[in-house]
Amino acid sequence: MAPRGLLLVNLGTPASPRPAEVRRYLKEFLSDGRVVDLPAWRRWLVLHLFVLPWRPRRSADAYAKIWTGEGSPLLVHGRALAARVQERLGEDVTVELAMRYGEPSIPRALGRLRERGVRQLVVFPLYPQYAPATTGSTLEAVFRELSRWQNVPAVATVPAFYDHPAFIAALAARAREALAGFEPERVFFSYHGLPESQVRAADPTRRHCLAREDCCTSIGEANAQCYRAQCFATSRALAAALGYPWAQCAVCFQSRMGRRPWIRPYTDEAIRAAAREGIRRVAVFSPAFVADCLETLEEIGLRAAADFRAHGGDRLVLVPSLNDSEAWVRAVLRIAGEASPWLGAPARACGTDGGRR
């Protein structure tokens, strides 16, 4: 049997919470035209005149609050997940972890797979919802690197898994554990934001996404690749799995940057508004992030929780990300197995029960 590989890819992290390392990471991240979709000259000006002179120190302070003795939480959880998946698949498949920005880089991880003689490769972007700035950029980087190889392996890619039953089941299991004994009055599903322009660009008809109030109530031909619609689909599936009435739930978007309009509603505004309405207990899910990171631990777990209390709320509980939980390990195996004819048999043997829609 041909040597097989599984490449797990997440977004990335600086090497340390020091300003110099954070600056290096932000420069690589924000230089990507799929992340900041401006003409190259404008992107360069924004980055070098308005971002890099000021943001690295502020971001470094935020990273320092969530950094662990082992390093960046995103990288620590990613390595643990890769190790557990490798253990389940055994020696028949080589599992590597890569980061789109920072280390371990995609070229380095692919280089290790090439050294193992991998001829059949599954690429698993660890982003549940498709966005050009995450999945799109990751796949572009993978195939750009593979284009340099003399012998290119057969490649299968894992599609967006925003409503996959195994993913939803893993999220629900995580929530039941984290929220045991806690009854939230409101449930927030908070996702990383995107500029509105990128959401509109996902609509081939140009007449659906953000053009009507109900544009995200279901997935159809016009919004099949729409990040915002997929976020709403994840939220509906998770609310149903946990038995939360939809009227008790709110979908919102965090981490916006710059002056351009980003998709709404905004998480910080929604949480403050809930506190002012008299809501005292809220739960926050971050279903766009499969591993805890700056956006979950600091932005929601620390800043949003303090903001909620400052505006009259009592308790905000952040549901931890999937990290390397047992249900998520099984889900990764199953989702990867379904995407690949050559990885399918061993992965499905380790995966969860039940079928895809």
Side-chain angles (χ1 to χ4, degrees):
M1 182 176 294
R4 293 168 289 167
L6 172 61
L7 181 66
L8 305 174
V9 191
N10 214 324
L11 195 67
T13 176
S16 82
R18 294 190 295 269
E21 298 289 351
V22 174
R23 186 184 191 279
R24 186 177 297 112
Y25 169 73
L26 289 176
K27 183 178 180 181
E28 182 184 7
F29 175 42
L30 298 175
S31 294
D32 188 339
R34 285 182 173 268
V35 175
V36 181
D37 56 342
L38 296 173
W41 67 270
R42 286 185 61 191
R43 187 167 61 249
W44 190 95
L45 288 176
V46 169
L47 182 60
H48 289 271
L49 296 182
F50 300 103
V51 178
L52 292 181
W54 320 108
R55 186 162 177 170
R57 185 165 297 280
R58 293 199 302 269
S59 294
D61 290 342
Y63 274 109
K65 294 175 183 176
I66 58 104
W67 214 259
T68 74
E70 298 174 88
S72 165
L74 181 74
L75 184 56
V76 170
H77 294 310
R79 284 172 170 161
L81 174 67
R84 295 195 64 191
V85 172
Q86 179 70 80
E87 181 182 3
R88 298 297 179 87
L89 290 175
E91 297 179 357
D92 291 337
V93 180
T94 299
V95 180
E96 288 287 345
L97 173 72
M99 297 290 165
R100 173 61 185 91
Y101 313 101
E103 295 292 340
S105 69
I106 287 173
R108 287 181 185 274
L110 285 173
R112 287 191 289 271
L113 290 168
R114 180 166 58 178
E115 290 171 1
R116 295 293 299 270
V118 165
R119 298 206 300 269
Q120 296 173 333
L121 174 64
V122 180
V123 180
F124 195 147
L126 293 170
Y127 322 112
Q129 302 82 22
Y130 176 85
T134 53
T135 309
S137 178
T138 291
L139 293 179
E140 180 182 8
V142 167
F143 284 107
R144 182 169 59 242
E145 180 62 24
L146 290 175
S147 72
R148 300 186 176 102
W149 292 21
Q150 182 67 32
N151 299 314
V152 179
V155 180
T157 61
V158 174
F161 50 93
Y162 59 93
D163 64 345
H164 193 289
F167 170 61
I168 299 299
L171 288 172
R174 197 73 161 154
R176 293 188 187 100
E177 178 182 351
L179 299 177
F182 180 72
E183 296 184 5
E185 298 171 71
R186 186 160 299 169
V187 178
F188 290 98
F189 300 103
S190 180
Y191 299 82
H192 200 289
L194 278 184
E196 288 184 357
S197 60
Q198 294 189 18
V199 171
R200 290 193 177 94
D203 175 7
T205 72
R206 298 296 192 271
R207 297 188 302 272
H208 183 88
C209 291
L210 301 182
R212 41 191 288 183
E213 288 292 329
D214 63 345
C215 63
C216 292
T217 56
S218 62
I219 300 286
E221 183 176 349
N223 64 356
Q225 291 292 97
C226 174
Y227 173 79
R228 189 175 187 271
Q230 291 182 4
C231 291
F232 271 83
T234 299
S235 302
R236 288 191 296 269
L238 184 52
L242 292 169
Y244 290 132
W246 189 240
Q248 185 184 355
C249 302
V251 179
C252 46
F253 301 90
Q254 62 186 86
S255 310
R256 62 191 183 276
M257 184 181 70
R259 297 181 179 180
R260 291 190 298 167
W262 283 50
I263 51 178
R264 294 176 181 268
Y266 298 144
T267 298
D268 54 352
E269 294 179 357
I271 287 176
R272 286 195 295 267
R276 288 193 294 263
E277 290 170 20
I279 300 295
R280 294 293 176 262
R281 300 181 309 280
V282 302
V284 182
F285 291 76
S286 298
F289 305 97
V290 300
D292 276 316
C293 54
L294 185 72
E295 288 80 2
T296 65
L297 298 172
E298 194 274 337
E299 188 173 355
I300 300 298
L302 296 178
R303 270 192 287 150
D307 208 18
F308 180 63
R309 292 191 298 270
H311 285 80
D314 180 23
R315 187 180 177 194
L316 181 153
V317 175
L318 170 65
V319 176
S321 295
L322 296 172
N323 297 329
D324 66 326
S325 62
E326 176 60 26
W328 177 225
V329 172
R330 293 197 304 266
V332 166
L333 291 163
R334 178 174 159 194
I335 294 167
E338 291 175 358
S340 162
W342 51 83
L343 194 64
R348 279 196 295 270
C350 300
T352 55
D353 294 332
R356 187 79 163 114
R357 285 192 322 274

